[in-house]
């Protein structure tokens, strides 16, 4: 079942996919090229009707990782996570916000707390807690952050 | 009566009104609590509230105009004290010779508490209080018209007597005014105006006491707040009592006294019931309501009273 | 015991102030105190909306960097005598959020004077009532 | 003539238990823009969790929110179990479901009360909170606390349900059923409420999909999303119940969904008590194997999402939390804009917002200048209550 869905995804947007891990029937992790995140996510969200749930940014110390989690509510409820690996020094990837409104807040949050740049975000206002206490360039969720 | 006796009487009566008024506010809170499955406060709660407020610090906001802020509550209190004094004197001694005040004076004095609230609200330089003040102003404009018309009905019936004592005597000998169609309509108008004068739901848009923020009173603390609370409590007794005098022939004497008290309690129950069964009315709607429906009722009452007078039909 | 204090104990008007970082549970339990089962109006306790009318501030949650100036300002606006009751573990001691990066370095009781601590996570309504009764009792001694 | 003004609500407002700041931009009577500034309540729990061990984290995430205090730990333990492939005994699954549904019941009652208050029915508020107490009694008996239950742990639950608890729960449930009947009859058939709430704050299924809204907010717009059924966990796949879904998308529909869900919840509780097998309640895992896992739970307000990454040590290296209000809140933009300000509060209240959940992360800066307030939050509530009054009059009530 889930294997069939993965096959279809590969067929549609295979050029961006670097690898697939099927953890179990409800959890799939797809490694993608960050440049193609918009195309893959749009395919899942628009063509397959998946619900955009949230994104997670992870500091792996050597690089940054962003996972976009989409839930295939109409096809058995499996959770598909699109994993993009970003450069440690200058993390940057295309924004999903112009396509999927649901990703607006989370991208602002990731940029604020993790320092990841989302190219093409329509409303990337400085939104760290309060500018009095949080100078530019301090990202509390990074591993090297010290309170 | 000499001046000294009058002054002493004034203070005794004002104090008495305050005590009974505070008790009636307690009844109001208790009934509300029972409706909501709660026990409600003990009987001395309003007294404790006022005494406590007297002992608190009085803060005058920086931006406020200090004199107006502090004097406003006193104006209101003075107004309601005088009214209660005049009304009680008329009730206890309808045939009393000394002139203390007549209907016109009472009408003017009854506006004072509302004016005091408006001034106080504007003086506190708080946007919320200003909103409250402007609403109170609109509301006062709205209910005064039917209120005056209601009094006109009484005047027509009494043949133009402006003396309160005269009204009471006339009703005690010649039957109460409310026992006629126009009188009944006037009573309805009076109850609705009472509701508004007391700032009760559904006409409490200005203060919104139940709504937690307190509107006009938002910046008041300590003694001035206590004075406002006291004024409100005294109005609770005075305004319905005024209606009793105007339309129901006062309290009476001897065996009439329990009946007279019952009249007041009846009015109070009406007020509390209306308060508990209605959500708050928006200010524009309150204005429309008073200028539309209520004024219409009042005009009909006036017309009927005139007709009754001309044709000599008592029940009109 | 003066009449002033006696009246204060019979008519404490409380203002509820959520200091910021809180799980909201204390706040809901405070509201719960007003509802039929606990009905603190029996004791004259009324929840009021203007801090100018307050006799006691019920503070819940940790003070965050963002709310610290507001909390201080609200305390200054309250007419004295005014009591401050810290409701719940967060307000008493910053609780488990002590190490958060947004927590104000100065805890509540160093920011404004605190007269009573009601610990618990969240304190039960009975605990809050008991705490306030104790605080009022200490006034009359 | 344009009569534009900005209405700030908050950050401290007596009707909201928590600080938050809304700015409504209003043209005459119509809301033209809305901005929300949150972050007053931001505590940085995700960072905090990285410093705690797997067994400590449930206590932290429990305190994200007092009303979803089972939802977050449940989603968290499921994420860890997913990451480390940890088995859970069947009895524990039933107990988890039971506690989660008790929480849903008291959360929905809380909402009914607050909605009643916003509409000017204070008596509804007092009554529904009165009937919330039996549920809190059950929670206290079963878990030891009225609100933070501390029942969830990786690999199972902390406390067992005793036979006398079963009888006790069953003896208290009729009170709640009686009250649910009362609301269904009195509130949902009230012509004033129909006029007041129908067609207000409508969200279409497309809006829901755009914003990724979840929970009763989405189920009231004809999107039958419910993690309990889509991705069954705990004992939701093992007992009999239905997803409540209505198509209208307005505030009334959200009320209907919540009231009807209370019946389903009672059904699930009864089903759990009936089918619960005997046995262990905890598989007592020793280590969490390296890996990553996702845990989801349908909280009273919608899907709670937890992502945990483990590297084999005793604490997570990354813990991502997403509360339902975080995705439901931005839908204000579609539901409030264009509506009358009299309806703004009830629309805002209709998603049952929970800022403490959301604000562990989000901050939204306002762009409007802090103009002097012409109206306040209490005015909005008042407007809302007045509209009810008006309608009551129209209906001659």
């Amino acid at each position: 079942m889930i294997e069939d869905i993965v096959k279809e995804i590969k067929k549609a947007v295979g050029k961006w996919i670097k690898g697939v891990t099927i953890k179990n029937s409800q959890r799939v992790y797809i490694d993608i090229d960050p440049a193609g995140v918009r195309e893959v996510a749009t395919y899942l969200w628009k063509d397959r009707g998946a619900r955009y749930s949230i994104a997670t940014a992870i500091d792996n110390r050597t690089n940054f990782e962003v996972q976009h989690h989409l839930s295939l509510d109409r096809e058995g409820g499996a959770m598909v996570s699109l994993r993009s690996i970003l450069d440690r020094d200058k993390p940057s990837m295309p924004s999903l916000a112009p396509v999927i409104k649901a990703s607006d807040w989370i991208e602002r949050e990731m940029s604020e707390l993790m320092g990841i740049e989302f190219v093409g975000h329509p409303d990337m206002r400085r939104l760290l807690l309060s500018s009095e206490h949080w100078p530019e360039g301090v990202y509390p969720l990074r591993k090297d952050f010290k309170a | 009566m000499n001046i000294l006796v009058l002054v002493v009487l004034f203070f005794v009566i004002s104090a008495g009104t305050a005590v009974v008024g505070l008790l009636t506010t307690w009844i109001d809170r208790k009934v509300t609590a029972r409706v909501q499955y709660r026990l409600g406060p003990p009987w001395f709660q309003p007294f404790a509230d006022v005494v406590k407020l007297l002992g608190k610090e009085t803060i005058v906001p920086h931006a406020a105009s200090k004199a107006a802020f502090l004097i406003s509550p006193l104006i209101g209190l003075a107004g309601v004290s005088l009214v209660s004094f005049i009304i009680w004197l008329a009730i206890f001694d309808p045939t009393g010779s000394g002139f203390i005040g007549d209907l016109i004076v009472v009408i003017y004095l009854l506006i004072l508490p509302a004016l005091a609230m408006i001034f106080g609200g504007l003086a506190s330089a708080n946007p919320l209080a200003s909103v409250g003040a402007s609403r109170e102003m609109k509301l006062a404009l709205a209910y005064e018209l039917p209120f005056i018309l209601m009094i006109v009905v009484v005047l027509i019936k009494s043949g133009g007597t402006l003396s309160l004592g005269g009204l009471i005597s006339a009703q005690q000998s010649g039957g109460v005014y409310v026992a006629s169609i126009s009188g009944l309509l006037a009573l309805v108008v009076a109850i609705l105006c009472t509701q508004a004068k007391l700032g009760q739901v559904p006409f409490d848009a200005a203060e919104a006491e139940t709504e937690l923020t307190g509107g006009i009173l938002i910046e008041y603390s300590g003694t001035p707040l206590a004075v406002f609370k006291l004024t409100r409590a005294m109005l609770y007794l005075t305004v319905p009592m005024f209606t009793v005098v105007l339309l129901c022939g006062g309290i009476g004497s001897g065996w009439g006294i329990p009946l007279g008290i019952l009249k007041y309690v009846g009015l109070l129950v009406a007020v509390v019931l209306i308060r508990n069964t209605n959500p708050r009315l928006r200010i524009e709607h309150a204005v429309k309501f008073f200028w539309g429906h209520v004024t219409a009722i009042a005009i009909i009452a006036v017309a009927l009273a005139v007709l009754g007078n001309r044709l000599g039909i008592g029940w009109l | 015991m003066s009449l002033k204090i006696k009246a204060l104990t019979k008519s404490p008007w409380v203002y509820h102030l959520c200091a910021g970082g809180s799980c909201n549970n204390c706040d809901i339990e405070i509201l719960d105190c007003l509802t039929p089962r606990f009905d603190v109006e029996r004791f004259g306790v009324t929840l009021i909306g203007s801090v100018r009318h307050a006799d006691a501030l019920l503070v819940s949650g940790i003070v965050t960097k963002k709310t610290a100036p507001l909390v201080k300002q609200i305390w200054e606006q309250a007419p004295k005598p005014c009591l401050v009751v810290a409701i719940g573990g967060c307000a008493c001691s910053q609780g488990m959020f002590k190490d958060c990066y947004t927590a104000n370095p100065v805890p509540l009781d160093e920011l404004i004077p605190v007269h009573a601590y009601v610990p618990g996570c969240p304190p039960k309504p009975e605990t809050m009532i008991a705490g306030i009764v104790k605080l009022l009792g200490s006034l009359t001694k | 003539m344009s009569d534009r003004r900005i209405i700030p609500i908050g950050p401290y407002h007596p009707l909201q238990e928590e600080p938050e700041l809304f700015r409504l931009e209003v043209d005459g009577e119509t809301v033209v823009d809305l901005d929300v500034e949150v972050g007053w309540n931001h505590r940085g729990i995700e960072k905090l969790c990285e410093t705690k061990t797997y067994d400590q984290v449930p206590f932290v995430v429990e305190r994200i929110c007092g009303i979803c205090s089972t939802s977050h730990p449940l989603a968290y333990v499921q994420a860890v179990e997913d990451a480390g492939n940890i088995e859970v005994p069947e009895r524990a699954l039933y107990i988890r479901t039971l506690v989660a549904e008790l929480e849903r019941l008291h959360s929905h009652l809380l909402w009914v009360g607050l909605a009643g208050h916003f509409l000017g029915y204070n008596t509804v508020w007092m009554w529904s909170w009165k009937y919330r107490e039996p549920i809190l009694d059950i929670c206290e008996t079963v878990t030891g606390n009225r609100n933070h239950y501390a029942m969830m742990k990786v690999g199972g639950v902390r406390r067992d349900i005793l036979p006398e608890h079963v009888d006790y729960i069953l003896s208290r449930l009729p009170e709640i059923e009686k009250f649910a009947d009362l609301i269904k009859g009195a509130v949902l058939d009230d012509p004033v409420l129909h006029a007041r709430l129908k067609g207000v704050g409508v969200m279409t299924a497309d809006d829901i999909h755009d914003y990724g809204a979840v929970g009763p907010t989405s189920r009231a717009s004809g999107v039958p999303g419910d993690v309990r059924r889509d991705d069954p966990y705990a004992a939701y796949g093992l007992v009999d119940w239905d997803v409540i879904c209505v198509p209208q998308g307005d505030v009334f529909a959200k009320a209907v969904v919540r009231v009807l869900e209370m019946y389903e919840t009672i059904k699930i509780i009864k089903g759990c008590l009936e089918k619960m097998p005997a046995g262990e309640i905890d598989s007592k895992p020793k280590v969490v194997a390296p890996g990553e896992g996702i845990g989801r739970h349908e909280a009273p307000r919608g899907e709670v999402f937890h992502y945990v990454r483990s590297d084999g040590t005793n604490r997570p290296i990354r813990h991502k939390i997403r509360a339902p209000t975080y995705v439901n809140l931005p839908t204000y933009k579609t539901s409030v804009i264009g509506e009358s300000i009299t309806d703004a509060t009830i629309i805002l209240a209709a998603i049952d917002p929970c800022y403490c959940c959301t604000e562990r992360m989000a901050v939204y800066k306002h762009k409007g200048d802090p103009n002097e307030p012409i109206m306040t939050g209490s005015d909005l509530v008042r407007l809302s209550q007045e509209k009810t009054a008006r309608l009551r009059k129209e209906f001659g009530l």
Side-chain angles (χ1 to χ4, degrees), chain B residues 29 33 36-42 44-45 48-53 55-62 209 212-214 217-222 225 229, chain C residues 3-4 7-13 34-37 39 41-56 76-82:
Chain B
R29 282 171 72 173
Q36 297 174 344
Y37 271 134
R38 293 187 289 117
L39 274 179
F44 57 81
Q45 195 54 53
D49 286 350
V50 167
V51 173
K52 187 244 358 223
L53 285 173
K56 292 277 286 186
E57 180 190 18
T58 301
I59 297 177
V60 182
H62 289 304
E209 191 70 53
L212 307 163
T213 27
L217 301 179
I218 191 163
E219 286 289 348
Y220 275 98
S221 58
L225 183 61
K229 293 267 169 208
Chain C
L3 183 65
K4 189 168 141 182
L8 185 67
T9 62
K10 289 294 174 200
S11 157
W13 291 359
L34 302 174
T35 56
R37 178 173 294 183
D39 185 28
E41 204 190 359
R42 286 178 294 157
F43 311 116
V45 179
T46 313
L47 193 67
I48 41 89
S50 167
V51 70
R52 297 273 192 222
H53 306 179
D55 301 311
E76 279 157 6
Q77 284 176 351
K80 312 297 176 296
C82 182

Side-chain angles (χ1 to χ4, degrees), chain A residues 57 65 83 109 125 143, chain D residues 292 309 317-318 326 365:
Chain A
E65 183 179 327
R83 192 199 313 270
E109 180 186 315
R125 278 175 277 158
K143 291 288 180 194
Chain D
E292 56 191 340
R309 175 173 287 186
I317 56 170
R318 179 76 174 99
Y326 191 82
K365 284 279 182 204

Side-chain angles (χ1 to χ4, degrees), chain C residues 38-87:
Chain C
F38 301 103
D39 185 28
V40 287
E41 204 190 359
R42 286 178 294 157
F43 311 116
V45 179
T46 313
L47 193 67
I48 41 89
S50 167
V51 70
R52 297 273 192 222
H53 306 179
D55 301 311
L57 302 183
L58 304 183
V59 189
S60 62
I62 60 160
V63 182
T64 60
K65 285 175 182 167
K66 194 164 178 174
T67 54
L70 291 170
V71 170
K72 207 166 162 54
Q73 193 185 344
I74 285 178
W75 159 247
E76 279 157 6
Q77 284 176 351
K80 312 297 176 296
C82 182
L83 303 163
V84 178
V85 186
I87 301 277

Side-chain angles (χ1 to χ4, degrees), chain D residues 27-329:
Chain D
D27 189 350
E29 286 278 300
T30 313
V31 179
V32 290
D33 200 3
L34 170 73
D35 214 343
V36 51
E37 178 177 354
V38 287
W40 310 91
N41 201 349
H42 174 77
R43 285 158 288 170
I45 286 179
E46 292 182 10
K47 187 79 178 176
L48 194 63
C49 287
E50 294 171 13
T51 67
K52 307 279 181 227
T53 67
Y54 285 110
D55 269 347
Q56 288 174 329
V57 173
F59 298 103
V60 177
V61 293
E62 194 164 70
R63 279 150 184 88
I64 289 172
C65 170
I67 304 301
C68 322
S69 64
T70 276
S71 308
H72 285 287
L74 179 51
Y76 162 77
V77 295
Q78 290 180 167
V80 177
E81 285 153 8
D82 184 27
N85 296 316
I86 295 164
E87 288 293 320
V88 184
E90 200 180 337
R91 185 173 175 84
L93 295 179
Y94 278 99
I95 296 176
R96 284 179 180 182
T97 310
L98 181 72
V99 177
E101 291 306 306
L102 284 172
E103 177 187 272
R104 186 184 320 278
L105 211 48
H106 90 68
S107 174
H108 281 354
L109 279 173
L110 185 130
W111 181 83
V112 168
L114 288 182
H117 174 69
F118 283 132
L119 292 171
Y121 288 91
N122 266 346
T123 311
V124 171
W125 175 34
M126 289 294 172
W127 284 30
S128 75
W129 282 47
K130 173 179 154 67
Y131 286 99
R132 197 175 147 255
E133 293 293 332
I135 306 167
L136 296 180
D137 283 347
I138 294 176
C139 292
E140 194 171 359
T141 311
V142 173
T143 71
N145 201 354
R146 283 163 59 92
N147 303 83
H148 291 313
Y149 311 121
M151 284 292 269
M152 304 301 158
K153 87 182 272 298
V154 176
V157 290
R158 271 175 214 285
R159 284 169 69 117
D160 204 354
I161 304 271
L162 305 175
E164 57 262 37
H165 289 160
V166 176
D167 297 337
Y168 180 71
I169 297 171
L170 289 175
S171 72
R172 297 303 295 269
L173 281 180
E175 290 173 50
I176 300 144
E177 273 173 328
K178 208 178 86 195
F179 184 64
D181 287 340
L182 186 84
I183 318 179
K184 207 169 104 183
V187 178
L188 297 188
D189 292 341
D190 185 331
V192 176
L193 287 184
H194 280 244
R196 181 76 175 73
L197 301 178
K198 280 199 169 167
V200 167
V202 177
M203 272 188 266
T204 62
D206 284 342
D207 292 335
I208 297 294
H209 190 57
D210 270 358
Y211 285 98
V214 292
T217 310
S218 79
R219 290 198 288 279
S221 294
V223 180
D226 192 323
V227 186
R228 291 177 290 175
R229 198 208 40 206
D230 297 339
D231 181 9
Y233 56 93
Y236 287 112
L238 308 172
V239 291
D240 185 35
W241 62 284
D242 293 311
V243 173
I244 302 291
C245 182
V246 294
Q248 293 87 359
D250 50 15
V251 176
F252 190 77
K254 295 187 181 79
V256 170
V257 166
R258 289 201 172 89
V259 171
L260 296 182
E261 255 181 25
M262 283 166 47
Y263 289 97
E264 296 304 318
T265 297
I266 293 172
K267 213 154 105 187
I268 297 175
I269 293 174
K270 284 183 174 163
C272 284
L273 291 176
E274 207 175 285
K275 292 189 174 171
M276 195 182 292
E280 283 296 306
I281 55 161
D282 186 2
S283 63
K284 302 198 176 73
K286 294 280 179 283
V287 287
V288 178
E292 56 191 340
I294 292 168
R296 298 198 279 172
H297 166 56
E298 185 75 18
R301 289 156 189 77
E303 178 208 43
V304 166
F305 174 98
H306 281 236
Y307 170 91
V308 170
R309 175 173 287 186
S310 148
D311 62 351
T313 59
N314 64 346
R315 52 190 70 179
I317 56 170
R318 179 76 174 99
H319 182 189
K320 168 74 197 162
I321 304 160
R322 203 269 284 130
T325 306
Y326 191 82
V327 285
N328 286 341
L329 195 68

Side-chain angles (χ1 to χ4, degrees), chain B residues 235-286:
Chain B
L235 280 175
Y236 245 93
L237 184 60
T238 312
V239 180
M241 213 37 131
F242 184 49
T243 311
V244 171
V245 168
L246 285 183
L247 292 165
C248 310
I251 292 278
S253 58
W255 289 106
I257 290 178
L259 184 69
I261 293 172
L262 225 62
K263 293 174 191 164
Y264 166 73
V265 171
L267 278 180
L268 190 73
V269 167
V271 168
V272 174
L273 277 183
I274 292 175
R275 162 177 143 82
N276 274 304
T277 50
N278 283 285
R280 181 168 305 125
L281 218 57
R282 198 169 163 166
I283 187 73
E284 291 90 76
H285 292 274

